DNA sequence: CGGGAAGTTGACGGGTCTCAATGGCCGTGG
DNA sequence: CCACGGCCATTGAGACCCGTCAACTTCCCG
C-alpha cells in the first residue's frame, strides 16, 4: 500500500493516482489550481483519527494512500461504519452542512491525505466550475455507496452482507490497481466488518468462517482472494453498475 | 399539504417555499436564473413513480409540495427505503454518477416537482458558482441523512428505530411549517416504515403499538403527534445537530 | 517469555421473522 | 343500497437467525 515519504510533499503533477485509468484527466490549469489548493499533507498511523467525531476540522481531505473509514456512534458505544475510504476519496465536505462534525473518520492503515482549506473552496467554485462540479460528483458518488450499504444492512441476511462486503472491497481495490496476483489488501479486523455490516462480532466471525469453509474466498496475511466470485455475487444479489470516469481532486 | 394548480406553473419568485425561514435567501439574479433553469413541473399521484428504478430520467427534480421517498430493491423484491423527501429536497443528481439509475423515487402523497434539465446544469456551475456550491451542499446534506439512517438500521433496536423515525419526521415537517396544532402529516403506511427501518411489517406494527400504548405518540388520521418527545429522544439516543440555513433550488 | 489484541468456537437466550387469521376502511360495481 | 374485493392494520403462535456470554487459542510485538 506504499509508505509515507517523510519530509517531502507529493506535487500534484506527480500524483501517483492520476496515472490510473480510474481517474478522469484534468487540464493543466486545473491541476495547477489543485496544487495551490493543497495546503499540506496529513500522515496518520493505523487506527489514528483523521476527523474526530466531535469538533470540527474545517478542512477537506483526499486520501492519497492507505485506507480509512467513516463512522458514527451511539452514546453507549455502538458503532456503525458508514463506508470505507480508498485512495482518491474525498472527505470532510459534510462538515459544511452541520455545525458540528457529523461523523468521525479513522485510518485503517497507515495513510497519507492531502489537506485542503475550506476557505479556498469558494475560489475553486468561482474560478473552476468544472472542479466544483467534480466535488458534487464525488459527494453524490459517496452517497451512492452509502445507499448501497443501507440496502445491505437493512435487507440482506448475514451471509449476504458478508458476501457483499467481500465483493465490494475487491471491486474498489481493483479500481486502483491493488489486485496483485488475485489478492487485494484487507486490513479490516472482524470488528470493523461487524460494525460495517450491522452484525455482532461473534456472528460475523461465524459467517466469515462458513463462507471460507465453503471455499468462496480466502483470507490470509491481511489479503483477500475471491475463489468463487460468481457464487458470491449470486449470494449477495450483486450486479455491477457501470460508473463514469471518476474525478480526482 | 396543498393541492396542484392545474394548468399554471408556479413562478420561482412566487415559490411558496422561499418565504419559509428554513431556506436561505438568494439574489435576484440567481432567482432569475433558477426560473430559466426550471423546465417544467411534474405532477404525480400518491404511489406514482418519479424516477423508475431502471432507466434514466436525465433530469433533476426539486419537491415543490407533497412527500416522496428514494428506495432500492433486491431482485427478490426486498425493498429498502433510503430516505424520505420533503419540499425543498433535490433528487436526481446521483444519476450523473452511474450509467443506470441507482435508485427509484416514488411519491408518497400527491406531489408536484420542479423539473430541471441536466444539460443546463453546466451553465449553472459556470455562471452561478454559488448555486453550484448549493447543489453540493444539498447532496452532502442528503448523504448526511442517509448516514443517519444507516446508523439507525445497523445499530438501533426496533423500538429505538421507530422512535428515531417518529422524531425525524416531526423535525423535518416542522422545518417547513407542517406542524399544525401539534400534529404533522404522516402519509406512510406501516409497510413504508418497515422498509425504511429494515424491519418486517409485523414487527413494525407491534413496535408502533407498544410505543403508542406507552403514550409516547399518537397516530390518527394520517397525522402524527409526539406526546412524550423527551422520552422518545432518550430512547432513540437522539440529539439535535444544528444545521446551517438550507439552500433551495 | 509475557501480555494484549484478534480470532475461534460452543451454549444459550431473545429479538425479530414468518405464517396465519381477523377486522376495518373504502372504492367499485351490481 | 348493499355486496364484494383489496389494501391496511392488528394480533397470536412458533421458528430461527442472530446476539450475548464465556472460554480458549492464535498471533503479534515488546
Amino acid at each position: 500500500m506504499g509508505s509515507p515519504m517523510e519530509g517531502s510533499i507529493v506535487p500534484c503533477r506527480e500524483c501517483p493516482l492520476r496515472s490510473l485509468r480510474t481517474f478522469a484527466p484534468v487540464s493543466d490549469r486545473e491541476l495547477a489550481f489543485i496544487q495551490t489548493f493543497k495546503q499540506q499533507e496529513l500522515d496518520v498511523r493505523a487506527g489514528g483519527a483523521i476527523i474526530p467525531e466531535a469538533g470540527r476540522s474545517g478542512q477537506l481531505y483526499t486520501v492519497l494512500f492507505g485506507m480509512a473509514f467513516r463512522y458514527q456512534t451511539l452514546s453507549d458505544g455502538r458503532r456503525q461504519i458508514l463506508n470505507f475510504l480508498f485512495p482518491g476519496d474525498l472527505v470532510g465536505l459534510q462538515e459544511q452542512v452541520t455545525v458540528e462534525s457529523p461523523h468521525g473518520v479513522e485510518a485503517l492503515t497507515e495513510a497519507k491525505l492531502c489537506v485542503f482549506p475550506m476557505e479556498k473552496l469558494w475560489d475553486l467554485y468561482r474560478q473552476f466550475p468544472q472542479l466544483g462540479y467534480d466535488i458534487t460528483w464525488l459527494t453524490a458518488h459517496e452517497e451512492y455507496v452509502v445507499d448501497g450499504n443501507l440496502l445491505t444492512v437493512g435487507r440482506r441476511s448475514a451471509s449476504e452482507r458478508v458476501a457483499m462486503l467481500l465483493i465490494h472491497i475487491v471491486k474498489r481495490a481493483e479500481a486502483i490497481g491493488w489486485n496483485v496476483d488475485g489478492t487485494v489488501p484487507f486490513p479490516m479486523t472482524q470488528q470493523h466488518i461487524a460494525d460495517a455490516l450491522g452484525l455482532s462480532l461473534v456472528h460475523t466471525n461465524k459467517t466469515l468462517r462458513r463462507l471460507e469453509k465453503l471455499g468462496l474466498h480466502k483470507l490470509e496475511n491481511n489479503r483477500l482472494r475471491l475463489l468463487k466470485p460468481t457464487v458470491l455475487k449470486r449470494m449477495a444479489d450483486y450486479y455491477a453498475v457501470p460508473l463514469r470516469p471518476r474525478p480526482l481532486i
Side-chain angles (χ1 to χ4, degrees), chain A:
Chain A
M1 235 169 306
S3 60
M5 296 169 49
E6 296 297 339
S8 72
I9 289 190
V10 178
C12 291
R13 72 181 63 253
E14 296 171 18
C15 180
L17 296 178
R18 297 214 175 267
S19 53
L20 297 170
R21 238 186 308 178
T22 302
F23 298 104
V26 295
S27 71
D28 288 342
R29 282 186 62 240
E30 285 165 347
L31 190 57
F33 178 83
I34 293 174
Q35 177 71 67
T36 69
F37 190 31
K38 178 170 172 178
Q39 189 180 38
Q40 56 180 91
E41 284 177 357
L42 174 65
D43 289 305
V44 280
R45 286 168 306 143
I50 295 167
I51 301 180
E53 206 178 2
R56 299 176 58 71
S57 76
Q59 289 164 326
L60 282 176
Y61 305 88
T62 290
V63 179
L64 188 52
F65 71 73
M67 282 181 67
F69 61 91
R70 297 197 309 126
Y71 68 94
Q72 218 170 316
T73 59
L74 297 177
S75 62
D76 65 1
R78 282 175 283 177
R79 178 174 75 168
Q80 178 65 41
I81 291 183
L82 304 168
N83 61 328
F84 292 106
L85 301 174
F86 286 78
D89 281 350
L90 183 71
V91 238
L93 244 184
Q94 293 190 296
E95 300 209 14
Q96 290 292 85
V97 168
T98 61
V99 173
E100 296 187 20
S101 175
H103 57 245
V105 180
E106 187 176 311
L108 207 45
T109 67
E110 179 180 27
K112 188 189 281 284
L113 298 96
C114 305
V115 182
F116 308 104
M118 287 283 197
E119 310 91 51
K120 290 194 69 175
L121 193 55
W122 178 236
D123 287 339
L124 181 149
Y125 272 86
R126 215 175 14 179
Q127 297 174 34
F128 296 90
Q130 174 67 47
L131 295 182
Y133 179 81
D134 287 347
I135 287 183
T136 303
W137 195 98
L138 288 169
T139 308
H141 179 264
E142 185 170 84
E143 183 185 351
Y144 165 69
V145 171
V146 178
D147 284 351
N149 290 342
L150 179 50
L151 173 63
T152 293
V153 169
R155 287 306 186 205
R156 277 187 245 251
S157 72
S159 308
E160 294 167 344
R161 293 184 211 187
V162 170
M164 195 67 196
L165 179 94
L166 298 178
I167 297 168
H168 184 247
I169 294 297
V170 168
K171 191 190 172 189
R172 291 229 50 193
E174 286 183 337
I176 49 177
W178 277 359
N179 185 332
V180 175
D181 226 12
T183 72
V184 302
F186 197 87
M188 303 83 116
T189 67
Q190 294 186 354
Q191 185 66 63
H192 289 122
I193 302 175
D195 287 347
L197 298 181
L199 295 170
S200 73
L201 173 60
V202 173
H203 199 65
T204 300
N205 175 285
K206 288 174 179 172
T207 307
L208 267 172
R209 300 295 342 229
R210 185 150 32 84
L211 297 195
E212 193 155 354
K213 273 180 185 157
L214 284 173
L216 303 189
H217 74 279
K218 179 86 176 167
L219 269 170
E220 208 172 10
N221 299 325
N222 286 328
R223 297 192 70 87
L224 165 65
R225 180 194 304 274
L226 299 191
L227 297 173
K228 297 183 180 176
T230 315
V231 177
L232 284 169
K233 286 175 185 171
R234 183 154 17 97
M235 177 180 288
D237 194 39
Y238 173 93
Y239 68 109
V241 176
L243 290 185
R244 312 280 174 95
R246 181 192 173 90
L248 173 64
I249 290 184

